Amino acid sequence: MIGSTTNILIVGVGGQGTLLASRVLAQAAVELGHDVKVSEIHGMAQRGGSVVSQVRYGSKVFSPIIKMGEADVIMAFEKLEAARYLPFLSKNGLIVINTEKIDPLPVMSGETRYPERLEEKIAEIIPKTAVLDATSIAEECGSPRAANIVLVGLVGRALGMPREFLAEAVQFLVPEKAIEINLKALTEGWNYLDNLPIKITRE
Amino acid sequence: MKRLMIGNQAIARGAYEAGVTVATAYPGTPSTEIVDDFSKYQGVYAEWSPNEKVALEVGFGASLGGARTLVAMKHVGVNVAADPLYTLSYTGVNGGLVLISADDPGMHSSQNEQDNRGYGRFAKLLVIEPSDSQEALDFTKEAFALSEKFDSPVMLRVTTRLCHSQSLVQEGEITKMPLKEYRKNEAKYVMLPGFARLRHVEVEKRMAGLREYVETSPLNRIEWGDRKVGIITSGVTYQYIKEIMPQVSVLKLGTVNPLPKQMIREFAGQVERLYVIEELEPVIEEQLKAWGLEVIGKSILPCTGEYSPELLEEKLLNVEPAVGYQLAEPIPPRPPLLCPGCPHRGVFYVLKRKRLIVTGDIGCYTLGALKPLAAMDSTLCMGASIGTALGMEKARGPEMARKTVAVIGDSTFIHSGITPLIDTVYNQGNTTVLILDNGTTAMTGHQDHPATGHTIQKTETAQLNLEGLVRAIGIKRVRQVDPLKIGELEKALDEELAFEGPSVILARRPCALIDKSTETSLIIDEEKCKSCKLCVKLGCTGIYWLEDKKKARINPDLCRGCGLCAEVCKFDAVVEGGAV
């Protein structure tokens, strides 16, 4: 029944490329023969606000949105956004955190402070926490903007998606001139899983 | 092979498959992608109209001319188009005409969350509602056939969650629809009272026909399950119900106006407890109650906001939401804000500093109402800023005009700011109007408009001259400023506010997301920085505050080099990158 649905919550700051990440994962899931639903945010929230997109796949998917406590994976493009969406992570779920830090308005203006050691605090309560500097990894691949695809490589592998399916989805969705950089980023993300001290690949 | 599509893309595809050759729209979230996508098909005409009323009128003409026609807008756009819509219901159509109303429960990107199924009831239209992208395609296609069959515009009502969710779609064959013959028929298309009275009778006949049709329409279906609970629902909430209560009996409505009364009665008679699950207004529930049916709906569910599986579980099944994890400390909110390099930032900085009363409008610049700039007093609807300023002056006297500014974007001004400006001239107002001309319809994703010189299909076209237009209206004082040159803007404001009579300031600079010509980052010389935080108070994501050092710093990845922070800095601490 619905227990077989995989839920991925992708969170970040408007403009970080969360939409493309969700579309690549969704496309790979389609190629794997799943029923797929994706919920996106367009419009006002994209102007630097907190954004979330949601990918669900399985034999039959009804709702395009994920319930609290039911995300198998949270893929966070920014640390504060990782913390904000923790209520959506399932027990035994995986959270992948890009170490990027973008101050929200109340912090920029000094009204409040950006919480310290966020990734450490999250790792203390969530056994499956993966922290990486995807932006720097992407920069080495040729563009910091490919950080989203670094994360896709890691998460896709953790979810047991074959690498060639992810690569095909990248080729399908990324503009021609950026394909090479993004495929490199995908590989780096994929390989990063080997560096992690925790075993998170799906059984 | 099935493809992933957002609902809007599927609607565009459905229209194309139905043989639509004319599509019109004014951009508005969550509807924008519909006609944007449609415009990319070969051999079709699509346009960004100046506003939704014009879009529907052009749509009426295209239908009259015999073409199948798609008209798309956001929910509040239908208010603008309501005048032609109500009478279009009387004239009926020649080529099929489908109006997409994209509602926004939860107000992801809107000023209200009105429920446009109400328009269907008042204007006496068939309203159909899909629940995923496949249905969005199929229902759109069917809507054109129904529009022609019942000689009526049909409303396809969708919501944000449908418009912007992707699901799998099987594309179908493309029908080539020959143009229907155009025949003059004044009794049908000229709505003089004498003709309109006869047409109203036809409308009522049509409603009777539609009431009969919906009873057996393939757009409605019953999915029998456990008969203890029966749920009547439509749209994306159907998906939530299937998710959380897969065992119950469901009457899934595809036609939400008129309702299949007999079908609903029979369904109600076979279940022990009947629920109507509908976002926003109790449109279905109230009709069922009027028929004497016992039904549970808004007594347990809200009329406000967007529904979610959690909410329905909580209200229908008494299940508390299962919170996964939580940190003990509070997480600061992250509201949307003006982009780094945005030309609007300079305007609101100056307006705030001058403590002016600002009547605002709809666009990215509505974000100028939020902290730290917080320089806006009102925002009602598209085009309202200018009339509001005039009204305040008329209530409080001409002195009011010396401290009030109406702020409106270029696309919004063309949409519905022109007539209130005529009113200001005609009725001797003294308003100073700031047109924030960034050369695009920015908030919805940079659509062209009559003053950009390009059509939706990117062909070159006549470019509306805003300055000439404003002068033709009778505004004698029109001037242009760069909104990031604070001194220039302040001087212009001082002079125009002091001037007795109406004036227009065109604050011109391209949207920072389009103009990438100033891509050099600035930096802050920490020796010179006196920790005054003036730059931080601009609310630019490119500048942040180092609490430990008590200094401001610029994030080179985000800074666009617009120079506004250098303008406000009194200590010349903001310098070009590499100079420190």
Side-chain angles (χ1 to χ4, degrees):
Chain A
M1 219 178 53
I2 302 152
S4 66
T5 302
T6 300
N7 298 313
I8 313 168
L9 197 75
I10 299 158
V11 302
V13 178
Q16 275 193 307
T18 49
L19 268 190
L20 179 66
S22 63
R23 289 183 169 191
V24 170
L25 287 166
Q27 184 59 32
V30 171
E31 299 291 335
L32 285 163
H34 293 293
D35 186 21
V36 180
K37 284 198 174 158
V38 185
S39 187
E40 305 177 341
I41 288 188
H42 302 209
M44 189 177 260
Q46 281 184 304
R47 297 282 175 269
S50 166
V51 291
V52 51
S53 54
Q54 323 189 27
V55 178
R56 309 191 71 214
Y57 62 89
S59 50
K60 173 75 191 161
V61 181
F62 288 105
S63 165
I65 53 179
I66 299 168
K67 276 194 298 187
M68 238 184 251
E70 295 212 334
D72 298 288
V73 179
I74 291 181
M75 185 167 153
F77 284 53
E78 198 273 347
K79 295 191 288 186
L80 192 64
E81 297 313 307
R84 188 185 315 285
Y85 288 96
L86 292 181
F88 282 86
L89 192 65
S90 68
K91 300 291 171 190
N92 205 35
L94 161 70
I95 182 160
V96 178
I97 306 170
N98 181 19
T99 49
E100 177 111 12
K101 168 177 176 278
I102 302 175
D103 287 350
L105 196 63
V107 173
M108 278 190 284
S109 57
E111 244 173 82
T112 177
R113 305 186 70 161
Y114 195 102
E116 281 166 18
R117 299 191 307 110
L118 266 179
E119 60 272 48
E120 288 166 47
K121 288 177 198 159
I122 292 172
E124 277 164 23
I125 58 167
I126 300 171
K128 292 185 185 175
T129 301
V131 180
L132 74 162
D133 183 353
T135 310
S136 296
I137 296 171
E139 213 158 2
E140 277 168 35
C141 296
S143 165
R145 294 182 61 192
N148 51 3
I149 302 300
V150 173
L151 296 170
V152 163
L154 200 166
V155 167
R157 183 173 175 196
L159 288 169
M161 287 181 168
R163 187 155 129 195
E164 61 274 22
F165 282 74
L166 292 164
E168 251 175 61
V170 166
Q171 280 166 320
F172 182 69
L173 288 159
V174 169
E176 180 102 33
K177 59 177 198 263
I179 288 179
E180 202 189 317
I181 289 172
N182 279 284
L183 286 178
K184 246 192 245 175
L186 183 78
T187 304
E188 289 302 316
W190 181 275
N191 291 339
Y192 199 85
L193 200 72
D194 298 326
N195 306 338
L196 292 173
I198 41 165
K199 185 178 177 292
I200 50 177
T201 312
R202 269 205 156 183
E203 290 82 24
Chain B
M1 167 90 188
K2 289 189 175 181
R3 284 215 293 145
L4 276 176
M5 285 187 192
I6 57 169
N8 284 347
Q9 201 181 353
I11 291 169
R13 174 73 197 182
Y16 185 58
E17 287 182 14
V20 169
T21 53
V22 177
T24 65
Y26 181 79
T29 313
S31 71
T32 313
E33 299 84 1
I34 299 170
V35 171
D36 210 358
D37 267 11
F38 183 83
S39 73
K40 295 178 181 121
Y41 287 112
Q42 292 297 313
V44 300
Y45 173 80
E47 71 166 46
W48 292 129
S49 310
N51 66 32
E52 294 86 353
K53 178 178 185 288
V54 177
L56 188 55
E57 289 156 353
V58 174
F60 168 64
S63 161
L64 200 58
R68 283 194 164 182
T69 305
L70 176 76
V71 183
M73 53 195 67
K74 69 182 293 174
H75 60 331
V76 285
V78 182
N79 301 336
V80 179
D83 198 1
L85 180 63
Y86 279 87
T87 307
L88 189 55
S89 170
Y90 280 29
T91 64
V93 301
N94 187 24
L97 188 147
V98 175
L99 171 67
I100 313 291
S101 167
D103 293 12
D104 190 15
M107 293 175 271
H108 295 271
S109 213
S110 302
Q111 68 269 39
N112 78 25
E113 54 179 349
Q114 66 185 52
D115 187 332
N116 277 8
R117 292 177 300 170
Y119 273 110
R121 297 204 70 198
F122 290 144
K124 307 222 164 175
L125 304 175
L126 174 64
V127 181
I128 62 182
E129 187 169 21
S131 70
D132 62 16
S133 296
Q134 182 69 60
E135 283 190 354
L137 188 155
D138 296 341
F139 284 21
T140 301
K141 227 168 151 177
E142 184 64 16
F144 283 97
L146 292 167
S147 170
E148 286 171 3
K149 182 174 173 191
F150 290 98
D151 187 7
S152 166
V154 170
M155 180 186 277
L156 185 89
R157 188 249 188 178
V158 287
T159 59
T160 304
R161 200 55 76 174
L162 183 290
C163 294
H164 292 160
S165 286
Q166 297 192 59
S167 57
L168 289 170
V169 172
Q170 179 67 57
E171 296 175 348
E173 296 292 312
I174 292 140
T175 329
K176 285 277 169 230
M177 292 299 293
L179 286 179
K180 290 200 160 187
E181 190 190 341
Y182 171 67
R183 257 189 246 131
K184 183 169 188 277
N185 183 353
E186 64 274 24
K188 186 167 186 287
Y189 296 120
V190 180
M191 287 300 91
L192 281 167
F195 294 143
R197 282 182 204 113
L198 297 172
R199 289 303 301 173
H200 192 184
V201 176
E202 292 302 315
V203 170
E204 294 309 319
K205 276 190 209 158
R206 176 178 85 216
M207 284 313 288
L210 281 170
R211 277 191 286 269
E212 203 179 306
Y213 158 76
V214 296
E215 294 292 350
T216 55
S217 167
L219 305 183
N220 300 320
R221 66 166 186 266
I222 294 174
E223 295 171 5
W224 287 114
D226 179 353
R227 299 197 184 206
K228 282 201 190 79
V229 172
I231 289 182
I232 298 176
T233 189
S234 68
V236 78
T237 48
Y238 161 79
Q239 308 290 356
Y240 302 156
I241 292 295
K242 295 299 283 185
E243 184 85 29
I244 63 164
M245 303 169 81
Q247 74 289 355
V248 300
S249 293
V250 176
L251 168 47
K252 181 190 176 299
L253 290 171
T255 66
V256 293
N257 190 64
L259 293 174
K261 188 175 181 181
Q262 203 48 43
M263 188 183 194
I264 288 172
R265 275 191 185 285
E266 279 167 26
F267 181 74
Q270 294 188 53
V271 296
E272 281 176 35
R273 241 174 326 136
L274 183 65
Y275 293 85
V276 172
I277 311 298
E278 53 189 328
E279 282 177 321
L280 303 176
E281 299 304 312
V283 174
I284 299 172
E285 181 182 345
E286 282 181 353
Q287 294 179 73
L288 267 57
K289 283 185 168 158
W291 302 338
L293 292 174
E294 238 179 79
V295 51
I296 306 163
K298 295 300 174 187
S299 57
I300 58 166
L301 284 159
C303 302
T304 53
E306 188 184 23
Y307 287 2
S308 65
E310 289 99 321
L311 176 90
L312 296 179
E313 258 184 351
E314 193 186 327
K315 303 292 181 187
L316 296 171
L317 303 169
N318 284 318
V319 175
E320 289 285 315
V323 173
Y325 295 91
Q326 228 161 353
L327 293 183
E329 65 198 295
I331 304 299
R334 188 187 299 277
L337 71 186
L338 298 171
C339 306
C342 177
H344 302 329
R345 183 173 283 108
V347 171
F348 289 101
Y349 173 78
V350 169
L351 294 176
K352 186 185 186 185
R353 198 159 80 173
K354 299 188 84 62
R355 299 212 165 91
L356 293 170
I357 294 165
V358 179
T359 59
D361 228 295
I362 307 277
C364 287
Y365 49 92
T366 317
L367 293 170
L370 301 180
K371 280 197 230 173
L373 297 166
M376 197 174 281
D377 291 70
S378 72
T379 298
L380 192 61
C381 63
M382 292 286 287
S385 55
I386 299 172
T388 307
L390 180 63
M392 287 186 87
E393 178 190 344
K394 293 301 177 189
R396 302 184 75 88
E399 266 315 297
M400 193 65 185
R402 293 187 198 280
K403 49 185 180 185
T404 306
V405 178
V407 170
I408 186 166
D410 46 343
S411 190
T412 308
F413 177 69
I414 297 163
H415 177 285
S416 49
I418 300 166
T419 39
L421 192 61
I422 293 172
D423 189 27
T424 304
V425 173
Y426 172 54
N427 286 308
Q428 298 163 317
N430 297 293
T431 313
T432 299
V433 178
L434 257 174
I435 300 180
L436 308 185
D437 182 6
N438 60 2
T440 187
T441 317
M443 175 58 89
T444 47
H446 304 107
Q447 288 73 31
D448 280 293
H449 62 62
T452 67
H454 289 91
T455 69
I456 189 172
Q457 283 155 330
K458 300 292 168 201
T459 50
E460 277 191 37
T461 183
Q463 188 171 7
L464 173 66
N465 177 339
L466 287 177
E467 187 177 343
L469 170 68
V470 165
R471 286 196 189 279
I473 283 173
I475 302 282
K476 293 195 176 66
R477 289 177 68 100
V478 187
R479 60 202 280 176
Q480 188 172 319
V481 298
D482 179 342
L484 292 179
K485 297 277 181 285
I486 287 175
E488 204 183 304
L489 179 59
E490 256 181 315
K491 180 168 179 281
L493 275 169
D494 286 342
E495 290 173 9
E496 298 317 323
L497 286 164
F499 171 69
E500 256 183 65
S503 49
V504 168
I505 301 170
L506 287 155
R508 258 188 183 141
R509 191 182 253 264
C511 170
L513 294 180
I514 286 186
D515 178 26
K516 311 261 184 191
S517 60
T518 53
E519 287 267 337
T520 51
S521 167
L522 301 174
I523 49 177
I524 290 172
D525 181 343
E526 288 182 9
E527 302 275 297
K528 290 187 186 166
C529 174
K530 300 281 184 256
S531 315
C532 71
K533 280 184 154 186
L534 259 185
C535 59
V536 172
K537 286 177 187 155
L538 290 170
C540 174
T541 33
I543 307 171
Y544 58 101
W545 182 245
L546 297 169
E547 191 58 43
D548 44 346
K549 287 182 144 182
K550 305 278 177 208
K551 299 282 178 189
R553 186 173 286 178
I554 289 174
N555 178 341
D557 295 336
L558 295 173
C559 175
R560 300 292 308 277
C562 76
L564 184 66
C565 50
E567 285 256 335
V568 303
C569 181
K570 294 193 171 97
F571 310 103
D572 297 323
V574 184
V575 293
E576 298 216 343
V580 171

